[in-house]
Amino acid sequence: MSTIEDVARLAGLSRTTVSRVINNHPYVSESKKRVVLEAMEELGYVPNSSARSLRNQKTEIIAVFIPRVLNPFFSQFIESLEIASSERNYQLIVCQTQYSKTKELKYLNLLKTKQVDGVILASLENDWSKIEPYMEYGPIVLCNEFEENAKVPMIRLDQAFGGYIATKHLIEQGHKHIAYCCGGNRSNVAKERERGFKQALAEAGLPFDENAAFRDAFNIEDGKRVFRELKELNEKPTAVFTGADEVAAGIISEARKHGWNVPDELAVVGFDNQAITELLDPMITTVHQPVCEMAKKAMDVMIDKINRKIYHSLEIYQFPLKLIVRDSTVSREIVKV
């Protein structure tokens, strides 16, 4: 069985350097990391994680909190996070809160009891005052979700801009009565998208119709329900902004079932740019979120906080959003032009 000394000998480096690579020490050059990893692979050397954890007082495990595993955005986010964590010799565990404040706090005990080295919050159910005390036990990084009062790293998007560009696009297509969908009032992400939505309406001199606002739409079935409620309104919207591609897909599916033409009778905008947007007919206009890049940055920041043991530090990393125009808001003939 190969030892760390064998790896050092084959790599032509000191045992200390090899140990630093194995333990993700921040001050090792990429060339030396590559040489060590190649030597480890050639020798079939696997570090003793238990012994390493005892020495470093680390579990080499990071937890990520998400509301729903089945949401395509979070599924892609988890996959990207796992790849990033594996590259750094960390394991990732997924905690599904299902929008429960109780479950969120229960999972945070993993940090308190030192079962994980850090927590990435992709959703946030409790007030920050309930979350902050857990930072005594390790780093917390917010990714996707954000909190203005938190003194922690945040990897976020300009959600107000996303809501704005999607709504402005609908207005530019001539729509004056636009329905609004989101997944709840607690999320700051949803609040910011609604702010951008209202900003675009205000600039165009259009009112916000509270009767056409649906703030409990999370998935495909919710989207179907939203359409059924929407079609019963006395003043029917001609377009709808949704906070998720799943919801948009449900609306389009139910609209077609009832003989409505999308986009001629109802234009639909999604959010996330998930695979489902290109599988439906019509394909869904949506707002692209750079999920993979966000996940990688979140893991980079988390590893840095674990190594440096700096937990209370406000850092904001903001990624761009982009509108992807497809057939659900503009007829095929116009899109092709």
Side-chain angles (χ1 to χ4, degrees):
M1 183 180 293
S2 300
T3 66
I4 191 170
E5 286 79 10
D6 296 328
V7 175
R9 199 158 32 246
L10 180 59
L13 298 168
S14 69
R15 186 185 188 284
T16 301
T17 300
V18 173
S19 177
R20 285 178 174 173
V21 172
I22 292 171
N23 291 294
N24 294 300
H25 195 282
Y27 303 116
V28 181
S29 69
E30 289 300 320
S31 60
K32 287 182 179 178
K33 284 182 184 178
R34 186 169 57 252
V35 170
V36 170
L37 293 174
E38 288 173 354
M40 289 170 61
E41 184 175 358
E42 183 175 335
L43 293 170
Y45 174 75
V46 179
N48 186 322
S49 58
S50 297
R52 191 163 70 250
S53 296
L54 286 172
R55 285 195 303 272
N56 298 336
Q57 295 185 321
K58 295 177 183 176
T59 65
E60 297 178 337
I61 300 172
I62 293 169
V64 57
F65 291 17
I66 62 165
R68 291 177 53 239
V69 173
L70 288 179
N71 181 305
F73 171 85
F74 291 111
S75 298
Q76 185 181 358
F77 182 66
I78 291 168
E79 181 178 33
S80 300
L81 265 184
E82 195 284 324
I83 292 170
S85 65
S86 179
E87 288 174 350
R88 293 157 179 79
N89 298 318
Y90 271 78
Q91 296 178 6
L92 184 75
I93 64 169
V94 178
C95 301
Q96 180 179 242
T97 65
Q98 295 180 309
Y99 303 101
S100 165
K101 293 182 178 182
T102 301
K103 289 186 74 172
E104 184 176 76
L105 293 177
K106 179 181 177 181
Y107 285 137
L108 277 168
N109 282 323
L110 292 169
L111 190 61
K112 185 176 181 178
T113 55
K114 303 294 184 182
Q115 295 181 67
V116 299
D117 293 333
V119 169
I120 296 174
L121 292 177
S123 63
L124 190 61
E125 306 307 324
N126 287 276
D127 291 336
W128 186 250
S129 60
K130 294 281 188 71
I131 304 291
E132 189 172 21
Y134 289 91
M135 293 183 62
E136 176 185 343
Y137 308 103
I140 294 176
V141 171
L142 289 172
C143 185
N144 178 54
E145 192 57 80
F146 60 92
E147 172 57 57
E148 300 296 345
N149 297 322
K151 298 295 187 289
V152 298
M154 299 182 211
I155 293 83
R156 57 177 290 183
L157 301 155
D158 188 345
Q159 300 290 352
F161 178 69
Y164 176 83
I165 58 175
T167 309
K168 186 176 181 181
H169 166 69
L170 292 173
I171 293 169
E172 289 172 346
Q173 307 313 305
H175 298 286
K176 299 185 184 304
H177 189 193
I178 304 171
Y180 174 79
C181 291
C182 72
N185 289 320
R186 172 67 188 91
S187 169
N188 285 323
V189 168
K191 289 176 181 176
E192 283 297 286
R193 288 179 187 172
E194 183 169 331
R195 185 167 69 84
F197 177 85
K198 289 179 175 177
Q199 180 186 345
L201 291 182
E203 287 181 2
L206 299 175
F208 178 84
D209 183 0
E210 192 63 46
N211 292 323
F214 306 89
R215 295 188 175 85
D216 57 350
F218 298 90
N219 54 39
I220 290 174
E221 289 305 313
D222 289 335
K224 292 179 179 180
R225 172 181 53 78
V226 165
F227 174 78
R228 292 193 296 269
E229 293 179 16
L230 182 150
K231 78 180 184 67
E232 297 301 324
L233 294 174
N234 290 328
E235 294 184 24
K236 295 177 177 57
T238 60
V240 55
F241 167 90
T242 73
D245 293 331
E246 279 187 284
V247 176
I251 290 173
I252 291 171
S253 173
E254 196 70 3
R256 294 193 63 183
K257 179 180 174 182
H258 285 80
W260 284 41
N261 181 285
V262 176
D264 293 344
E265 292 177 274
L266 183 69
V268 183
V269 171
F271 215 103
D272 293 338
N273 195 30
Q274 297 301 311
I276 194 173
T277 58
E278 297 188 271
L279 298 178
L280 259 63
D281 183 17
M283 292 191 291
I284 303 173
T285 293
T286 187
V287 177
H288 173 74
Q289 301 194 95
V291 182
C292 298
E293 293 87 341
M294 290 170 65
K296 183 179 184 303
K297 186 63 179 179
M299 189 57 64
D300 286 343
V301 172
M302 174 56 73
I303 299 296
D304 177 66
K305 297 305 166 192
I306 291 171
N307 288 332
R308 295 171 59 198
K309 297 187 181 340
I310 298 175
Y311 306 153
H312 295 267
S313 173
L314 176 60
E315 301 168 22
I316 297 177
Y317 305 92
Q318 188 157 290
F319 286 78
L321 290 168
K322 181 172 65 173
L323 181 69
I324 309 293
V325 177
R326 298 194 179 104
D327 302 338
S328 69
T329 57
V330 183
S331 68
R332 287 190 178 92
E333 289 73 17
I334 297 176
V335 170
K336 288 177 181 176
V337 173

